[in-house]
Amino acid sequence: MRLENCTYDVLYPVICKFKNEVGPMTVCFLLTHVPNPRMNKRIEVFKAQADTHVICTRRASQNVWEPTQDVDHVIFDIDLPSAKHILKRYVVSQDFQKRALEKLEQLKPNVIYAEGLDTLIIAGKYKKNHDVRIVFEVADLRENYITKPKKAIDRIITAMLLQREKKAFKNVDFLVVTSPKFYDMHYSALISKDKMLFIPNAPDVEVFKSYKKHAGDFTVGFIGGIRYLDQMKMLVDAAGEVGCKVLFAGAGGTTSDYEQIKAYCQGKDYVSFTGRYDYNSQIAGLYGMVDCVFAVYDADNPNVRIALPNKLYESILCELPIIVAKGTYLEELVKEWGVGVSVSHKDVNELAEALKMLMNNQELYGQIVDGCQRQKNGIDSIEKIKEMAGRV
């Protein structure tokens, strides 16, 4: 299985199974955000085989994406709080739950594709009175699922969440994960491995057909939702020290993140921002503006240590070195494949030295490009990722 076809290759057999069980399919994607590029790839596969709809929220604090797929989107303007504010999230989500269930009753789907515990609970309530198959996707693992919270109140809330999740998982037919470590570290206790589907967050090769290598001043790019402000500031400081340019492409993970990093870069003419972009029409051009990709996140966050972001696969496809944080599963793959370098997520000097190497050491840069070409042209990487997951 090649990375470029992985979404279709993994989901198509599931669609065939569902068709045999329920006949003609009406599918509803039930999300707590407007579909992002990853979710749009899932929608693309389903819409070719079934009547497909989306029910989602538009969150004022995380208003990053617009619909791109030509399917019916029902978007509720409900600003769900961050999952960190669990009790507040629960209260606000009741409105979403009520309105989503009303819409589901109208659409009468026999397949629901959910993401997030809020939507899984809604799907489970709908399933009580309907014959429906549920696919549940996990792209991030809650921090308090990986490490035990220190505060007593947080431990109580986590225990309550785990109970709700355990009950909700009885309704799940298939679990989709973007990193096999999510299953190994948490979901293996909730669902059998034969129902776990690993789909790397790999790009659609077609949208990169127009990609051309950057020519000009050495530029390091952060492409995607801007978050982990300490690491973004570290990038700006290191680039200023070594004399290279920085491109921030995309809106913030939250509006506040974006405003803060823009304020931090006031007066720094070597830093530029593109703001929000349309993935399918602009992503190739954005990667064509940079010479390496920055993907250093806060490795003190347990989720960061086991996640596999789309930047890994996009940088390989574009044959660009990727800079990642030490002590992460991502670093293990990057080192094994020879497609980038790793630095401490807290050390600006270490990052500056890495940037200097990539700017000035053409032999090293060429070796990394060769590593990207090997992975791009001979990808058995899905099996490789699974194998490495077992030993990291």
Side-chain angles (χ1 to χ4, degrees):
M1 185 189 302
R2 291 180 64 84
L3 271 174
E4 63 195 63
N5 301 321
C6 60
T7 302
Y8 176 87
D9 289 345
V10 173
L11 289 180
Y12 183 71
V14 172
I15 292 172
C16 293
K17 172 180 167 51
F18 288 165
K19 276 187 171 180
N20 288 334
E21 293 173 353
V22 302
M25 291 192 333
T26 298
V27 180
C28 185
F29 280 75
L30 191 56
L31 313 171
T32 58
H33 54 84
V34 175
N36 54 22
R38 169 178 50 82
M39 198 53 66
N40 278 319
K41 289 195 282 282
R42 313 324 190 213
I43 294 170
E44 182 76 24
V45 175
F46 273 91
K47 79 174 187 180
Q49 306 291 329
D51 179 24
T52 303
H53 304 261
V54 175
I55 298 174
C56 63
T57 65
R58 187 191 298 279
R59 300 158 70 177
S61 59
Q62 295 179 309
N63 189 12
V64 178
W65 307 108
E66 290 295 335
T68 60
Q69 293 294 335
D70 56 346
V71 300
D72 171 45
H73 285 71
V74 176
I75 304 175
F76 299 123
D77 290 315
I78 300 173
D79 195 14
L80 290 170
S82 163
K84 291 180 180 179
H85 307 291
I86 294 170
L87 295 178
K88 189 177 179 182
R89 171 82 169 235
Y90 174 78
V91 172
V92 177
S93 69
Q94 297 308 297
D95 183 29
F96 176 44
Q97 183 176 126
K98 178 176 178 292
R99 294 163 74 177
L101 282 169
E102 288 174 353
K103 193 63 187 177
L104 287 170
E105 288 293 344
Q106 293 175 22
L107 296 172
K108 295 198 171 5
N110 45 22
V111 176
I112 294 177
Y113 198 112
E115 183 186 32
L117 184 55
D118 311 73
T119 60
L120 181 57
I121 290 170
I122 295 169
K125 289 190 174 185
Y126 177 78
K127 189 171 185 175
K128 285 182 180 179
N129 300 310
H130 301 83
D131 183 18
V132 64
R133 305 297 182 268
I134 296 176
V135 180
F136 181 61
E137 178 158 345
V138 175
D140 286 298
L141 193 55
R142 291 176 187 268
E143 182 175 340
N144 51 355
Y145 284 3
I146 308 170
T147 58
K148 188 175 181 180
K150 295 179 181 178
K151 295 180 180 179
I153 184 64
D154 291 337
R155 290 198 295 273
I156 292 169
I157 292 172
T158 298
M160 291 168 59
L161 273 176
L162 289 169
Q163 281 299 112
R164 295 185 81 206
E165 184 183 61
K166 184 177 180 181
K167 181 179 178 182
F169 251 79
K170 293 176 181 177
N171 296 309
V172 175
D173 293 276
F174 286 100
L175 168 70
V176 173
V177 295
T178 56
S179 169
K181 295 297 284 184
F182 296 161
Y183 181 80
D184 296 341
M185 296 192 73
H186 181 68
Y187 292 102
S188 58
L190 298 174
I191 194 167
S192 61
K193 196 160 192 176
D194 62 309
K195 294 183 178 180
M196 186 273 283
L197 308 173
F198 168 47
I199 308 181
N201 194 6
D204 180 353
V205 175
E206 286 298 314
V207 303
F208 282 88
K209 282 285 178 70
S210 63
Y211 168 73
K212 293 181 181 177
K213 283 267 189 179
H214 178 241
D217 294 336
F218 191 93
T219 302
V220 55
F222 182 86
I223 300 174
I226 294 168
R227 50 184 179 159
Y228 303 113
L229 280 170
D230 287 346
Q231 283 67 48
M232 301 304 105
K233 291 175 181 178
M234 188 173 80
L235 170 60
V236 172
D237 293 344
E241 184 178 322
V242 303
C244 72
K245 292 188 174 182
V246 175
L247 173 71
F248 287 108
T254 69
T255 303
S256 174
D257 289 341
Y258 190 71
E259 290 171 351
Q260 287 186 60
I261 193 63
K262 284 209 77 171
Y264 190 76
C265 295
Q266 283 285 330
K268 298 179 173 68
D269 58 6
Y270 61 91
V271 182
S272 58
F273 292 81
T274 70
R276 292 170 64 172
Y277 59 85
D278 176 76
Y279 186 89
N280 286 350
S281 63
Q282 294 180 276
I283 192 67
L286 293 172
Y287 273 93
M289 297 168 66
V290 303
D291 299 280
C292 72
V293 176
F294 185 74
V296 177
Y297 305 135
D298 180 6
D300 290 334
N301 182 320
N303 185 63
V304 167
R305 292 199 291 270
I306 62 175
L308 295 178
N310 59 341
K311 293 178 184 64
L312 170 64
Y313 312 110
E314 290 171 341
S315 63
I316 289 172
L317 184 61
C318 295
E319 299 177 9
L320 295 171
I322 186 170
I323 306 174
V324 302
K326 288 181 175 178
T328 61
Y329 180 27
L330 178 59
E331 180 200 25
E332 295 290 328
L333 284 175
V334 166
K335 290 172 69 174
E336 178 100 357
W337 293 349
V339 295
V341 298
S342 61
V343 299
S344 165
H345 67 287
K346 293 180 176 179
D347 192 331
V348 65
N349 294 322
E350 199 169 313
L351 176 57
E353 287 302 313
L355 289 173
K356 281 181 190 176
M357 283 195 304
L358 292 173
M359 291 169 66
N360 302 320
N361 188 332
Q362 293 303 308
E363 182 180 358
L364 171 65
Y365 194 97
Q367 289 172 353
I368 293 173
V369 170
D370 289 344
C372 292
Q373 289 174 344
R374 283 193 300 273
Q375 289 306 314
K376 186 171 71 170
N377 297 327
I379 292 232
D380 58 349
S381 301
I382 291 180
E383 291 309 313
K384 191 73 164 180
I385 292 168
K386 288 179 181 176
E387 175 192 330
M388 292 190 68
R391 54 179 217 253
V392 173

